[in-house]
Amino acid sequence: MAVRANKPAFNIREKLKELTSKFGLKGTELARAETVQDARNAISAGRKNKIINGDLRIWQRSTSATINNAVSQSVLTADRWNNYHNTDGVVTESRSTDVPTGSGFYYSLKHEVATADTSIGTAQYHSHKYDIEGYDVAHLMWGTSLAKPITVSFWAKSSVTGDYGFSIRPGANNNRFYVDTITISQSNTWKKYSFTVPGCPDGTWEKANSAGLQVQISHVMGTTYQTSSLRQWISSVVVSPPSQVNWMATVGNTWYITGLQVEVGKNATEFEHRPYGEELALCERYYYQIGSSVGASGGSRVLGPAYTPSTNEIAMAVFHPTTMRVKPACTIVNTNANNNLSALRFRYTGNNNFALSSSGTINNTYMTTQGGSVWFQGLSHGVTSSGEIRTNESNGAGEFTFLRFNAEL
């Protein structure tokens, strides 16, 4: 038996028009992509975030600090984040659980004015800075005619409405700057901000293990560093618009930030949440510490195997958790020993031990990017033996001792 089916007539012109209609986020661009690379560029697929600890999960050093001119830009709490500071005021920096609802973030970086500065000098400033290592941005080909664009995005909120500064600059040079405006239009309200920055075809951009690219976000900025030449590459050392607000004018003013992402291309995509262990390992290329935080019962912890090459020094073996950016500097931090070597003990044969001298020094000459040894010198112990270096905590709740290994940009 034959079966005949009839298909209704249709207008071919109308069907052709449907091909130019938008369908879904980036759908049209994907449909028109001629290569796999075109499709990836449209949606910024793959491993993308050049920022380490952009979601502020890693806080190896501490979860709070005070920022003033005595410490300038050296304050670091959250790993990889730093500051520029030069005002007559004081800012406290701390970890906060205040985050944008539904974002998947659990921490933000909070700045709060502790001492106000109502009149910012022409060359004064306070800002976040984040340096990306040259190896991680070399593929952008900045400084050439093939330079690729990037998109920077983050969540922020402030108790002070107005304009703030956003800028991109070479991490290790001061010859190219790109400036834009962050506008806080509603106080105490989280908002996602994004800036697409064209690739820079000239200037000096580091491609190895020094600072390759810097993101700067300004809370206050003196007129010396302001410019009306926005959204273009310029050579002047400027980082903020002329409408920059004085965030430090009143005690208690707050600023929060989280979810910082830098990705190749012209689109701001969802934040790349990496596994915690992977993020920690990325941070440890620049900084890690070994030691202990002791509870109410006191106690001590082993830091590493050691021996005495002479009667006035001790060498302790060190194995970095990952290859570090450069040979790290080693320092000691202790709550009850004024950050000197008396916070350490050398234990050797038969459980014999002695405290290191408070006048001793740390020598990292025999350290490499992969490990080596730390030498504690300027001692006088009269012992020739092998053993171990331990922390010297013996009493007091909350006492801690750490050896810090720092290879930050």
Side-chain angles (χ1 to χ4, degrees), residues 72-131:
S72 189
Q73 67 187 60
S74 62
V75 171
L76 292 98
T77 53
D79 280 60
R80 305 294 301 115
W81 293 72
N82 210 325
N83 309 283
Y84 285 122
H85 180 89
N86 174 21
T87 75
D88 297 320
V90 177
V91 174
T92 58
E93 178 175 272
S94 62
R95 183 174 70 183
S96 173
T97 55
D98 188 338
V99 295
T101 301
S103 62
F105 302 121
Y106 288 88
Y107 295 114
S108 63
L109 180 62
K110 176 185 179 183
H111 278 198
E112 182 171 357
V113 178
T115 301
D117 185 348
T118 58
S119 179
I120 300 299
T122 58
Q124 290 186 315
Y125 44 80
H126 177 79
S127 61
H128 295 304
K129 81 179 186 81
Y130 187 104
D131 288 308

Side-chain angles (χ1 to χ4, degrees), residues 11-228:
N11 189 321
I12 192 170
R13 292 182 181 277
E14 293 299 325
K15 290 296 181 182
L16 289 173
K17 287 181 180 179
E18 292 178 6
L19 296 178
T20 62
S21 300
K22 293 182 179 180
F23 48 99
L25 182 63
K26 297 295 176 182
T28 301
E29 292 181 42
L30 284 171
R32 292 176 175 173
E34 296 182 359
T35 67
V36 173
Q37 188 60 51
D38 288 342
R40 288 175 61 87
N41 291 341
I43 60 174
S44 298
R47 299 305 301 268
K48 56 190 177 183
N49 195 1
K50 308 304 176 188
I51 299 295
I52 299 170
N53 200 33
D55 57 359
L56 296 155
R57 283 180 294 168
I58 314 297
W59 301 68
Q60 294 188 80
R61 296 170 178 83
S62 67
T63 56
S64 63
T66 300
I67 305 171
N68 53 48
N69 281 346
V71 294
S72 189
Q73 67 187 60
S74 62
V75 171
L76 292 98
T77 53
D79 280 60
R80 305 294 301 115
W81 293 72
N82 210 325
N83 309 283
Y84 285 122
H85 180 89
N86 174 21
T87 75
D88 297 320
V90 177
V91 174
T92 58
E93 178 175 272
S94 62
R95 183 174 70 183
S96 173
T97 55
D98 188 338
V99 295
T101 301
S103 62
F105 302 121
Y106 288 88
Y107 295 114
S108 63
L109 180 62
K110 176 185 179 183
H111 278 198
E112 182 171 357
V113 178
T115 301
D117 185 348
T118 58
S119 179
I120 300 299
T122 58
Q124 290 186 315
Y125 44 80
H126 177 79
S127 61
H128 295 304
K129 81 179 186 81
Y130 187 104
D131 288 308
I132 304 175
E133 188 174 346
Y135 282 132
D136 294 334
V137 290
H139 66 291
L140 297 178
M141 295 182 287
W142 284 21
T144 77
S145 60
L146 300 175
K148 299 178 181 179
I150 61 170
T151 296
V152 183
S153 58
F154 54 88
W155 287 85
K157 78 169 184 175
S158 176
S159 60
V160 182
T161 59
D163 291 342
Y164 296 77
F166 166 85
S167 67
I168 298 292
R169 59 192 287 188
N173 302 283
N174 286 321
N175 54 15
R176 302 303 284 158
F177 289 79
Y178 182 94
V179 183
D180 209 337
T181 303
I182 304 167
T183 300
I184 303 287
S185 56
Q186 188 173 355
S187 63
N188 300 312
T189 303
W190 282 104
K191 181 181 176 182
K192 186 175 182 179
Y193 298 85
S194 65
F195 300 88
T196 295
V197 180
C200 185
D202 49 21
T204 306
W205 301 88
E206 298 296 326
K207 305 295 195 298
N209 66 343
S210 56
L213 181 154
Q214 183 181 115
V215 180
Q216 185 172 337
I217 296 171
S218 302
H219 303 77
V220 298
M221 191 59 57
T223 56
T224 297
Y225 306 111
Q226 295 178 5
T227 181
S228 57

Side-chain angles (χ1 to χ4, degrees), residues 92-376:
T92 58
E93 178 175 272
S94 62
R95 183 174 70 183
S96 173
T97 55
D98 188 338
V99 295
T101 301
S103 62
F105 302 121
Y106 288 88
Y107 295 114
S108 63
L109 180 62
K110 176 185 179 183
H111 278 198
E112 182 171 357
V113 178
T115 301
D117 185 348
T118 58
S119 179
I120 300 299
T122 58
Q124 290 186 315
Y125 44 80
H126 177 79
S127 61
H128 295 304
K129 81 179 186 81
Y130 187 104
D131 288 308
I132 304 175
E133 188 174 346
Y135 282 132
D136 294 334
V137 290
H139 66 291
L140 297 178
M141 295 182 287
W142 284 21
T144 77
S145 60
L146 300 175
K148 299 178 181 179
I150 61 170
T151 296
V152 183
S153 58
F154 54 88
W155 287 85
K157 78 169 184 175
S158 176
S159 60
V160 182
T161 59
D163 291 342
Y164 296 77
F166 166 85
S167 67
I168 298 292
R169 59 192 287 188
N173 302 283
N174 286 321
N175 54 15
R176 302 303 284 158
F177 289 79
Y178 182 94
V179 183
D180 209 337
T181 303
I182 304 167
T183 300
I184 303 287
S185 56
Q186 188 173 355
S187 63
N188 300 312
T189 303
W190 282 104
K191 181 181 176 182
K192 186 175 182 179
Y193 298 85
S194 65
F195 300 88
T196 295
V197 180
C200 185
D202 49 21
T204 306
W205 301 88
E206 298 296 326
K207 305 295 195 298
N209 66 343
S210 56
L213 181 154
Q214 183 181 115
V215 180
Q216 185 172 337
I217 296 171
S218 302
H219 303 77
V220 298
M221 191 59 57
T223 56
T224 297
Y225 306 111
Q226 295 178 5
T227 181
S228 57
S229 299
L230 305 180
R231 293 175 289 281
Q232 58 185 291
W233 286 106
I234 55 180
S235 58
S236 302
V237 183
V238 287
V239 295
S240 196
S243 55
Q244 168 76 57
V245 70
N246 179 8
W247 172 81
M248 292 193 64
T250 305
V251 171
N253 286 346
T254 56
W255 167 277
Y256 298 81
I257 186 170
T258 192
L260 178 62
Q261 180 155 283
V262 173
E263 54 193 309
V264 182
K266 299 180 180 180
N267 304 302
T269 64
E270 287 189 3
F271 185 85
E272 180 182 22
H273 293 275
R274 291 186 285 252
Y276 180 88
E278 181 179 344
E279 205 74 10
L280 176 60
L282 292 172
C283 291
E284 288 175 337
R285 174 171 172 77
Y286 305 92
Y287 173 89
Y288 78 96
Q289 59 191 28
I290 55 175
S292 64
S293 251
V294 179
S297 61
S300 67
R301 301 292 184 273
V302 176
L303 300 186
Y307 75 104
T308 55
S310 72
T311 57
N312 63 0
E313 57 191 358
I314 301 172
M316 185 186 80
V318 174
F319 307 93
H320 304 323
T322 188
T323 299
M324 303 194 75
R325 182 184 67 87
V326 293
K327 179 176 74 174
C330 179
T331 57
I332 187 169
V333 174
N334 177 265
T335 51
N336 294 338
N338 299 318
N339 298 339
N340 60 51
L341 293 188
S342 65
L344 302 179
R345 302 189 73 82
F346 179 63
R347 187 171 72 176
Y348 56 103
T349 307
N351 205 31
N352 292 307
N353 67 90
F354 59 84
L356 276 59
S357 170
S358 61
S359 61
T361 59
I362 298 176
N363 185 340
N364 74 332
T365 300
Y366 303 103
M367 186 73 67
T368 72
T369 59
Q370 296 177 314
S373 58
V374 172
W375 288 51
F376 305 112

